Amino acid sequence: MHPIPVPTELPTHLQPLFARMNHTGVQPDQWDCAETAVLTDWLYIERWHAELADQAELEWLLAWLRPCHTARAVELADAVCILRLEAGEIEASIELATSLLAQTDDFSLRHTLALALAAQGNLDQAISQLEHALNQATHSSDAVIPSEQRIQAWLDLTRLLQNNKALFKAIRPAKQAIALAQTHQQDDLLIEAIHVLVEQLIDQGGADEAWDFLKPLLSREPTASQQALWTLAFARLSSELTPPDINQGAACLLAARNPDPLIKLMIQRAESSQDHHTLLVAFILGLIFRAPIDVTAPLAAKLLLRDHDRQRRTAPLIAAASMALAEIPDERSSKRAHWYRDAMMQLISVAQHQGIPEAAVKQWAEDEQLLLEQGIIERTYQTLMRELTHIPPWLPQAIALRATTELLVIGAPRDAKAPYLAEPTDKNGSKPSRT
């Protein structure tokens, strides 16, 4: 056993005992536990529980606790095993966990052993160890294991089975984790478990089954959990969503001032559709929240694809609004200059289809109030809304949210979690001028 530095703030009356115990070659099992307890108690409470001890100090304390205090020894062994794993000392972690478990069974330590075996590549053994721990916890009336630990263990078992290509077997522990997280209101772990199960079902080609599982868990309540679940649904299960489903999710997200998942869903749908209504809704939503030009410009191009599209009454508005978005400094758009040039050429083409010669386009744009500083973005989405065959019930809610956000510009920070809702900035962080 290697000596360690004198622990910080070690009481004076304990220093002689520490000096005697802190010698190379000292054998802890040859000491009287009653004599060492006063020091190990102090180290356990004042250093370990205060999160002040490093790995060397914990290993030293563990060596002294093993002959005297089994429960504390197992607790420290688990911590030391995790530290060894983090340091890449996989074999040493497995050896320590195995030796302690031979003396006493412990849920947390066996869980850690399973993770070490998995890191070693022994998935079958890792699964066996974790199944044993969970089986013991389920059937033992004496086991008082925090719900978070049991949920995490079920999640880790799910992932181990997935990695071992036992996908069918992985469904049960995932559902166990979900049920346990719901019972104990562990929202973060619940979301994580739902993600794990839904992603697996999707990867297996069961998007419909994933939606059937997820849908009953959803509501309009704008809680953090519901936002996370609707974000998952919008991002991964778009093809399964009906208009009423989208309406419900949009109501939740907009009430929570988190429009990003809705914007991304509608843009994704528009990109894979030739339906004019779908394209219009996505473009309108992009304009409302100043979505990056990288995603809104292609929508404008699809809306103005054909000659007769460029002859429409609203064509100049669409082209001009796209160019106006490209004018706004925005770090989210890596090709803003490219899209600005593209939008300018598009506006010139629209003007020509409207009977305006190229030389007169600049004056025409000013006369028709098609410039950014003339409020072209707002006027465009307000006009395009009148072209919709039906207005989604959440669209007025989105406009109201944007209006509220405008009022909050002065004296209040934006929500950093909503990059489409947040105002675009240039590299110096300054806001672009707005009418």
Side-chain angles (χ1 to χ4, degrees):
M1 187 173 64
H2 298 290
I4 60 172
V6 179
T8 305
E9 299 177 356
L10 179 68
T12 304
H13 71 280
L14 293 179
Q15 291 178 7
L17 176 59
F18 176 80
R20 290 168 51 210
M21 294 168 62
N22 194 36
H23 279 293
T24 302
V26 169
Q27 301 298 318
D29 59 356
Q30 296 176 1
W31 284 61
D32 184 354
C33 291
E35 181 182 3
T36 61
V38 62
L39 176 61
T40 58
D41 285 351
W42 184 88
L43 290 169
Y44 176 83
I45 296 168
E46 301 297 335
R47 297 289 294 175
W48 157 237
H49 273 210
E51 299 182 357
L52 298 174
D54 60 15
Q55 181 173 345
E57 188 174 325
L58 290 181
E59 300 234 21
W60 189 93
L61 178 57
L62 174 61
W64 285 98
L65 286 175
R66 287 188 70 167
C68 303
H69 202 302
T70 302
R72 287 184 175 180
V74 169
E75 181 186 344
L76 256 70
D78 187 35
V80 170
C81 285
I82 291 172
L83 290 171
R84 288 180 177 180
L85 268 180
E86 291 174 346
E89 302 168 5
I90 299 173
E91 299 293 341
S93 180
I94 292 173
E95 181 181 355
L96 177 59
T98 302
S99 65
L100 265 293
L101 287 169
Q103 300 172 13
T104 181
D105 202 356
D106 179 76
F107 180 88
S108 295
L109 187 56
R110 195 171 292 278
H111 184 183
T112 301
L113 173 60
L115 298 181
L117 290 166
Q120 191 184 52
N122 290 323
L123 290 180
D124 288 333
Q125 290 185 40
I127 289 168
S128 177
Q129 290 290 341
L130 205 43
E131 287 178 334
H132 172 81
L134 286 163
N135 184 61
Q136 289 288 96
T138 301
H139 294 95
S140 174
S141 59
D142 299 329
V144 182
I145 302 164
S147 59
E148 301 96 313
Q149 291 185 27
R150 285 183 290 148
I151 297 166
Q152 191 61 63
W154 282 117
L155 271 172
D156 287 339
L157 178 57
T158 301
R159 293 191 175 98
L160 289 175
L161 289 166
Q162 289 174 340
N163 292 338
N164 210 31
K165 310 303 181 185
L167 297 181
F168 180 77
K169 289 184 178 179
I171 292 176
R172 176 180 171 271
K175 289 186 174 180
Q176 290 275 46
I178 290 167
L180 200 57
Q182 285 178 312
T183 299
H184 294 276
Q185 298 180 330
Q186 296 287 337
D187 288 350
D188 289 345
L189 289 172
L190 173 62
I191 299 304
E192 183 181 350
I194 291 172
H195 267 266
V196 169
L197 180 57
V198 167
E199 293 290 351
Q200 177 182 321
L201 293 174
I202 292 172
D203 291 343
Q204 289 179 254
D208 55 342
E209 186 180 353
W211 177 239
D212 288 342
F213 166 77
L214 182 58
K215 186 173 182 176
L217 304 176
L218 298 168
S219 76
R220 291 174 178 260
E221 292 298 318
T223 62
S225 297
Q226 284 300 313
Q227 290 180 66
L229 294 180
W230 277 114
T231 298
L232 173 63
F234 280 12
R236 300 290 284 128
L237 295 167
S238 169
S239 61
E240 304 299 317
L241 302 176
T242 65
D245 296 328
I246 295 174
N247 294 342
Q248 183 183 21
C252 167
L253 292 166
L254 292 172
R257 302 174 60 79
N258 179 18
D260 266 25
L262 173 63
I263 298 169
K264 292 174 182 176
L265 170 68
M266 299 312 298
I267 289 175
Q268 176 192 352
R269 288 195 155 203
E271 288 172 343
S272 60
S273 171
Q274 298 300 322
D275 177 63
H276 185 72
H277 182 273
T278 302
L279 287 169
L280 269 185
V281 170
F283 188 64
I284 289 169
L285 197 58
L287 292 181
I288 291 171
F289 289 109
R290 310 298 189 269
I293 188 61
D294 307 63
V295 295
T296 49
L299 297 179
K302 291 183 77 171
L303 288 167
L304 301 173
L305 183 62
R306 294 159 297 192
D307 286 345
H308 77 268
D309 293 329
R310 299 183 179 215
Q311 293 167 354
R312 290 174 181 266
R313 178 181 58 86
T314 53
L317 298 177
I318 294 171
S322 182
M323 192 170 76
L325 270 184
E327 284 186 69
I328 301 174
D330 188 350
E331 288 186 332
R332 301 166 301 173
S333 301
S334 59
K335 298 181 178 180
R336 188 167 61 87
H338 161 80
W339 288 118
Y340 179 78
R341 289 191 298 270
D342 185 79
M344 181 182 293
M345 295 304 298
Q346 189 168 250
L347 181 61
I348 292 171
S349 176
V350 166
Q352 291 174 337
H353 281 78
Q354 300 277 328
I356 307 299
E358 184 173 347
V361 170
K362 182 177 180 181
Q363 188 61 50
W364 168 75
E366 291 181 0
D367 293 343
E368 295 296 319
Q369 296 190 318
L370 300 178
L371 306 180
L372 172 62
E373 59 268 21
Q374 294 172 322
I376 182 59
I377 294 176
E378 291 79 3
R379 197 164 80 256
T380 298
Y381 70 69
Q382 290 165 1
T383 302
L384 292 179
M385 282 185 65
R386 294 194 287 271
E387 283 205 346
L388 294 175
T389 54
H390 64 276
I391 296 178
W394 46 263
L395 197 51
Q397 186 181 358
I399 294 174
L401 173 58
R402 179 65 197 188
T404 304
T405 306
E406 296 286 2
L407 294 175
L408 293 175
V409 172
I410 300 175
R414 301 296 182 124
D415 182 356
K417 295 182 179 179
Y420 288 170
L421 179 58
E423 198 69 34
T425 60
D426 61 21
K427 291 184 178 180
N428 296 319
S430 60
K431 300 281 190 283
S433 60
R434 293 289 304 278
T435 302

